[in-house]
Amino acid sequence: MMRPLPPLNALRAFESAARHLSFTKAAAELNVTPAAVSHQVKALEELLGVPLFRRLTRALRLTDAGQAALPTLGQGFDKLAQAVEQMRAHCESGVLTISVSPSFGAMWLVPRLERFRSRHPDIETRIDGTDRLVDVARGDADVALRYGPGGYGGLQVDRLFGQVNTPVCSPVLLSGEHPLRQPDDLRHHTLLHVDWKDADASWRMWLLAAGLHDIDPTRGPHFTMESMAAQAALDGHGVALIGDVLVAGDLAAGRLVHPFDPSLSRPLGFAYYLLSSKQSAGQPKVAAFRAWLLEEARTWQARPDRAPVRT
C-alpha cells in the first residue's frame, strides 16, 4: 500500500526555496507571493513533523532533514517534467515541422515529399524554408535538413549525401556565336555564382582545377540562393556552378545540361544532414520521416547517372 504523499504544491514550494535559499526567489520562480511560499513550506513542516529550514534574521538555511531531501526531490521534479513532456509529445497533433533551406527544399525535398505523404497519410507536414539556425533540441522544428561540414554535437545526426559541384547551363548556350564545348569557352559567357559556405565550391577553385588561369573567376552576378542561380541558368543568362543534387531534375528533363565532361567536376567537403533531437527521435512522426528520408538518400546515391561522391 502506497503512503499518501504531501501536497505537490507544498513539495514544489520547498524544493524551489531550498534551491534558492530564498522565499522571495522561489516566489518569483513559481509566480506566487513570498507569503504563499512560506505558508506552503510551513504546512509541509507541520505535516511531516520536522523542520526543513532554519529561519535566521536575514538568511534561510536548510536543516539536516531539508538538506538530505533536496537532491532526491529535485530529481523527482525533473523526472516529472520529463514525463509531462513525453505525454505532451504523444498528445500533440501529427504535424511534422521540417526546417530546410529554401533551395534544397524546393529543388530536392518537395518533389519527393508526396511519396512520404502517400506512405504516411496521417502525418501532416509543415515546411519551414529558412537558412537561419534552428534549435531542434528546444523544439524550434521537429527535424532540420542542413548543408554543412558536420559535427552537430548533442543531436541525432544522419548524413544523407555529399554532392558534386558542376557547371550547368541552358541547351541554347551549346550553339550560337560562342558555343560551349570546352572549359576555355567560358571566357565568352557569364559566370553565375552561388555564395556557398564551402570555399571549395567557388568558380575560382573550379577554373584552377580545370587548368584555366586567365579567366576572371569573379565576374558575373552572385546569388545567395542556389535556386536563383539555377533559374538564371535556365533562362540562358550564363553558366551556373551548382551542386548536382539541386539540379538533378532539370538535368534529367533536359532543361539544363552539362556543357563539359562531368568528370571535370569535383566532390565537395560539405554534405547534407538530417538533424533531430535525441529526445524526439522516438516520436512516431519523426521516426517515420527519418526512415523514409534515409531510404530516399540511399536511392539517390545509387542512381546510375550520378557521379561518384565521397562518402
Side-chain angles (χ1 to χ4, degrees), residues 18-244:
R19 272 191 293 109
H20 294 294
L21 288 178
S22 168
F23 288 155
T24 300
K25 290 181 180 179
E29 180 177 271
L30 300 176
N31 198 28
V32 296
T33 65
V37 173
S38 178
H39 175 76
Q40 290 280 3
V41 171
K42 187 66 175 176
L44 180 62
E45 290 174 320
E46 291 176 354
L47 180 64
L48 297 175
V50 60
L52 300 174
F53 288 105
R54 287 189 293 119
R55 294 161 175 80
L56 308 178
T57 303
R58 294 188 177 180
L60 200 61
R61 295 289 182 267
L62 284 165
T63 64
D64 289 344
Q67 186 68 54
L70 178 59
T72 304
L73 195 57
Q75 293 170 10
F77 277 111
D78 288 340
K79 291 291 186 183
L80 280 173
Q82 182 179 354
V84 170
E85 286 303 314
Q86 290 173 344
M87 288 188 291
R88 182 178 291 120
H90 285 286
C91 292
E92 67 183 4
S93 71
V95 176
L96 176 74
T97 299
I98 306 165
S99 175
V100 61
S101 67
S103 292
F104 184 66
M107 301 170 76
W108 193 90
L109 178 63
V110 171
R112 293 166 170 78
L113 200 57
E114 187 59 32
R115 292 201 282 268
F116 175 75
R117 288 171 50 80
S118 297
R119 186 177 300 182
H120 300 282
D122 56 318
I123 300 177
E124 294 293 341
T125 55
R126 176 179 178 270
I127 308 300
D128 178 18
T130 178
D131 283 318
R132 67 177 175 82
L133 294 176
V134 298
D135 190 342
V136 292
R138 289 196 328 183
D140 291 349
D142 294 303
V143 296
L145 293 166
R146 287 296 181 265
Y147 182 68
Y152 304 97
L155 299 174
Q156 170 69 46
V157 180
D158 294 290
R159 187 183 188 278
L160 301 177
F161 38 68
Q163 65 179 344
V164 169
N165 215 32
T166 185
V168 296
C169 67
S170 167
V172 300
L173 298 188
L174 301 183
S175 58
E177 183 179 358
H178 298 291
L180 275 170
R181 294 171 182 165
Q182 56 188 1
D184 189 66
D185 296 327
L186 285 169
R187 68 182 66 254
H188 303 295
H189 293 269
T190 300
L191 302 181
L192 304 174
H193 304 261
V194 175
D195 289 341
W196 293 97
K197 293 181 289 184
D198 187 348
D200 287 343
S202 67
W203 267 116
R204 180 185 301 278
M205 298 303 294
W206 193 94
L207 292 170
L208 286 175
L212 299 172
H213 303 277
D214 60 342
I215 295 179
D216 181 0
T218 64
R219 61 183 173 82
H222 289 246
F223 301 91
T224 59
M225 293 177 60
E226 300 95 326
S227 57
M228 294 188 292
Q231 186 60 54
L234 285 164
D235 293 338
H237 297 322
V239 185
L241 186 63
I242 197 165
D244 65 331

Side-chain angles (χ1 to χ4, degrees), residues 3-12 43-44 47-48:
R3 294 181 181 179
L5 291 174
L8 187 62
N9 284 343
L11 291 172
R12 192 74 180 95
L44 180 62
L47 180 64
L48 297 175

Side-chain angles (χ1 to χ4, degrees), residues 251-264:
L251 288 168
R255 294 185 293 268
L256 290 175
V257 296
H258 291 292
F260 320 120
D261 183 352
S263 66
L264 292 173

